[in-house]
């Protein structure tokens, strides 16, 4: 039986005149694109541009909401109530959906960004706020959660479709959480090392950790960070190795849009 | 035969810690609420709050997109291409729709704000950008346009439902355009004068102008500016006089949501 | 011997089209004005306007820097390093000084706002960052610190002129700290009660607390919050009672500018 | 007699997490750095970082104020009165000066950015607003103006020190104005062509134009845009050719700070 996995990346994280990452290259490599919604990054023009290239490449698109904190790139916890988080997340998803309607392409899932994602990974109330936003909006939106987190658990309880991601370039702890970015060994910059680790995991279902025995993790998708050093190189190698190992790349969020449709409709 | 008219007002124009206008009072008087979408004013919390009170009062809600220019309150023309306007307007409508889904209540129409509305009143390309946003989003959204403007004409051509508004507190020119805000006589601060003028217009279909003979204007709705001096007083008097003259107040955008529904669902 | 005290208030906290508080009234009552610097509130026009009215009224002006967080009005702790705080505070003070040069009037002191002030009250490193900003800028800037806080202590160690404020409308704890805003009894809304408490304190040097015996506090200035309920009324009563008790109102930061000077020079 | 010229570049135009240009490289090549002040680009951290590297390299620093319009990078005219421009420019200069005091280094001059500079080049009232800001702030600030513009003329009338710049990578019109960016031939991307043109101009005092005979232009400084394609390469070649032709590179704004001073003082 053929194995299938998804490659996802955080994209559309430019802002106004400031580019970030090589989105064109990444969108030729990944199967799912988490697109910034104007909160921590992105703006309507960048959303449109990123959504258009994704659609043209048959890449499934998701919303990537984060704190409204451009200076901090959504990596700082901004004190907010869960009601405020629910409304902020809803507003960002809705903004992306409406810009996607111009392409036209449909937003299929939601994956929170940065400090909001980290908080939703451990704080049930924040996780619930995000899930409630997604449920209210409806439209068959799924959630892409970091494997083993509160967000994953809360989403499963509500019946919203939930998928789990692991990281190609981040080290794990034995409790299933990521090693925090500011700790030694947290980021794996070497593409070969990251790729080998992933292939072994996909074979065995066991993920190595920094502080103990390998752990079992659910994985519907592999996240390749778009803004880490050598992101494109790592994604390219990972993709080649996965394909070379007979693993198919396909979004967890269903079949890609036919390539012809959206191109024809994009007159913008 | 009973006559019907709509009263609309620009609401939800607070921002963060800064209140603007008396939205609670206005939402007990008008039949349609144009709600700021986080561009020129508003934020997710204020959107939610305004949408909730509107739903509770059976007031129909519309999106009120404007330039992303809080310092200028959307009253300055920010140079943008029509593609940029299309995406900006879409993002704002989508944000409001998604927050409305949390209430839950449905956004029924779109009315542009300030400098964007003035530009769309005379610039066909800008008008088309706004109409295209609305059409792309779909969901039976109507457009509320200033009577006699390019936006009204462009919207009619595309088949999107379009309704026309006149102003209770603004003077007209013989070409059907509003007298610009910074010119003498542009604003009618006296409630009695404004109300009398409106009642005569609704009787005759003829609107007095500053520079010539009264003109014929289409009117599905009367706008009472929420941020002009004495806005609540004017709205209250206008409402009383209209009702006293046997005119029914009802939104152009269809029947109000039943009051019970949304209240029950609002657990936020 | 005549006693002297200062009355200070947080002013210039409007933003763009959104007014906050009655600055004109407060500037006829206080002797020192803490003026927002475009971070948590204010913008160059509002700074200029507030500085001009202050100068016209002979009110001494200080900078009131806060987190760059308008949505949260500077009342949320935004995670920042002390180096980042030092630079942010410097930029805000410098902005106000340069706008003040247009009036012209001189900025005499610095008082941090909201969450930044609360952090500087208990965190020595944050206090030091603020003091270092003030020292680097020089220009004889003083610091106005909440009485009994880390900021007051750190500033005294560096030789920067430091003055202590107490609050007319806030209750105290026996450790000298303010009762947090969200706790019962934290805010004193009754003007008579607040005034009586202050007069007794000025007589005795002992401040009542919610959880024990009255404590001794240094006090060069009394803060009347501009944004609390009935702020103008409380300031007016306090001022009248202080004057009636033979206490002189004068800024801690030296003699007021002569009223004629700045008016003549203001051609803006 | 040795000839001297200045090379200036717009730097510090990153924002939050988004880098722009190669400031480190440019600061090893130019003699004057125009540093963004948090309006169109930059923030307190980026200001500090850019000012520090400039000081370390003995590069003279100036303020580079622009419209508060990050999305448009200060390249869109935002409708403002001249009073508003005066206050906005003052606030930005003051912010940079105060951050510079932390380095410590002194801001020596002001050069407006983008749409504000273009407007000040042809609109006397806007030019006067900028000059008045500079004069009010004092501190011996000079103005760096595009050669042959209204800003240059207005500044000369007021007695503020004014210096003139020409562009290495922009084509001229016979009226002395730059060819607008969106017109063909406006930008000179070829380093050799740009360098040859400059050397001939420095020899002859005559600048070639797209629409007629070469014109005479005053030139105290040559601007190498930091954000054009191949900016570093062009600056490097220009510098080498100028030095090779026996021309000395020195800021118009006086001798550089001694390299030792600022490094020692920078403990941030």
């Amino acid at each position: 039986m053929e194995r299938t996995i998804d490659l996802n990346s955080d994209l559309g994280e430019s802002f106004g005149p400031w580019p970030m990452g090589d989105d064109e290259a990444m969108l030729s490599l990944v199967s799912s694109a988490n697109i910034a919604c104007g909160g921590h990054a992105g703006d309507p023009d960048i959303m449109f541009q990123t959504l258009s290239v994704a659609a043209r490449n048959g890449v499934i698109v998701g919303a990537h909401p984060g704190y409204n904190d451009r200076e901090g790139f959504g990596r700082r916890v901004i004190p907010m109530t869960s009601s405020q988080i629910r409304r902020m997340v809803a507003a960002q998803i809705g903004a992306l959906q409406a810009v996607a309607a111009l392409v036209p392409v449909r937003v299929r899932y939601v994956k929170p960004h940065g400090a909001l994602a980290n908080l939703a990974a451990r704080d049930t109330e924040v996780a619930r706020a995000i899930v409630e936003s997604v449920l209210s909006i409806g439209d068959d939106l799924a959630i892409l959660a970091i494997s083993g987190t509160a967000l994953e658990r809360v989403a499963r309880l509500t019946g919203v479709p939930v998928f789990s991601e692991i990281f190609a370039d981040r080290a794990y702890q034995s409790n299933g959480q990521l090693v925090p970015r500011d700790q030694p060994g947290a980021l794996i910059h070497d593409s070969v090392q990251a790729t080998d680790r992933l292939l072994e995991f996909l074979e065995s279902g066991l993920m190595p950790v920094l502080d103990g025995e390998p752990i079992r993790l659910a994985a519907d998708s592999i996240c390749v960070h778009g803004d880490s050093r050598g992101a494109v190189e790592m994604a390219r190698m990972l993709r080649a190795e996965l394909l070379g190992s007979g693993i198919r790349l396909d979004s967890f969020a269903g079949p890609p849009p036919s390539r012809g449709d959206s191109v024809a409709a994009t007159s913008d």
Side-chain angles (χ1 to χ4, degrees), chain A:
Chain A
M1 196 200 77
E2 197 184 26
R3 296 239 11 209
T4 297
I5 193 83
D6 174 66
L7 272 189
N8 82 74
S9 187
D10 301 347
L11 300 170
E13 293 188 328
S14 301
F15 170 56
W18 293 279
M20 179 173 285
D22 185 351
D23 283 13
E24 288 267 348
M26 292 302 280
L27 284 167
S28 71
L29 300 170
V30 299
S31 38
S32 297
N34 324 311
I35 299 181
C37 305
H40 71 285
D43 60 38
D45 292 335
I46 288 161
M47 288 183 216
F48 181 84
Q49 171 65 12
T50 313
L51 288 160
S52 297
V53 177
R56 208 148 53 222
N57 288 356
V59 172
I60 293 289
V61 296
H64 193 45
Y67 286 114
N68 283 328
D69 173 29
R70 288 190 177 120
E71 280 83 348
F73 199 61
R75 291 207 174 126
R76 309 187 290 195
V77 172
I78 308 297
M80 296 176 73
T81 66
S82 59
S83 289
Q84 290 181 308
I85 289 174
R86 185 162 48 236
R87 298 161 194 166
M88 176 186 75
V89 166
Q92 291 190 24
I93 297 171
L96 188 75
Q97 285 181 309
V99 175
L102 291 173
V103 172
V105 68
R106 195 164 72 75
V107 174
R108 305 282 188 91
Y109 67 94
V110 175
K111 170 186 159 178
H113 167 84
L116 181 64
N118 293 340
L119 202 54
R122 61 177 192 267
D123 182 322
T124 303
E125 211 192 331
V126 170
R128 189 172 296 121
I130 295 171
V131 172
E132 286 168 356
S133 280
V134 171
L135 279 170
S136 291
I137 294 173
D139 203 27
D140 295 324
L141 283 172
I143 284 181
L144 179 56
I146 303 173
S147 188
T149 57
L151 178 60
E152 187 189 45
R153 286 189 298 277
V154 168
R156 286 208 199 287
L157 289 175
T158 61
V160 69
V162 55
F163 299 91
S164 306
E165 70 168 352
I166 56 169
F167 291 85
D169 61 351
R170 293 289 296 275
Y172 280 85
Q173 299 173 291
S174 56
N175 63 1
Q177 311 255 321
L178 295 170
V179 177
R181 261 171 190 278
D182 54 1
Q183 287 182 22
L187 293 162
I188 303 170
H189 296 304
D190 185 83
S191 301
V192 177
Q193 187 194 339
T195 302
D196 286 353
R197 194 181 67 133
L198 252 300
L199 286 174
E200 278 174 44
F201 166 72
L202 291 176
E203 201 66 32
S204 67
L206 293 171
M207 175 65 75
V209 300
L210 287 194
D211 59 344
E213 291 301 301
I215 57 170
R216 200 158 286 278
L217 277 180
D220 302 298
S221 184
I222 303 165
C223 180
V224 191
H225 274 120
D227 56 337
S228 64
R229 272 187 282 155
V232 171
E233 183 210 359
M234 185 177 292
R236 186 167 286 132
M237 177 175 293
L238 197 53
R239 179 188 167 89
E241 291 290 333
L242 289 168
L243 293 175
S245 307
I247 296 170
R248 220 163 60 116
L249 294 182
D250 245 340
S251 180
F252 56 88
S258 94
R259 285 169 193 241
D261 295 351
S262 42
V263 176
T266 305
S267 65
D268 187 275

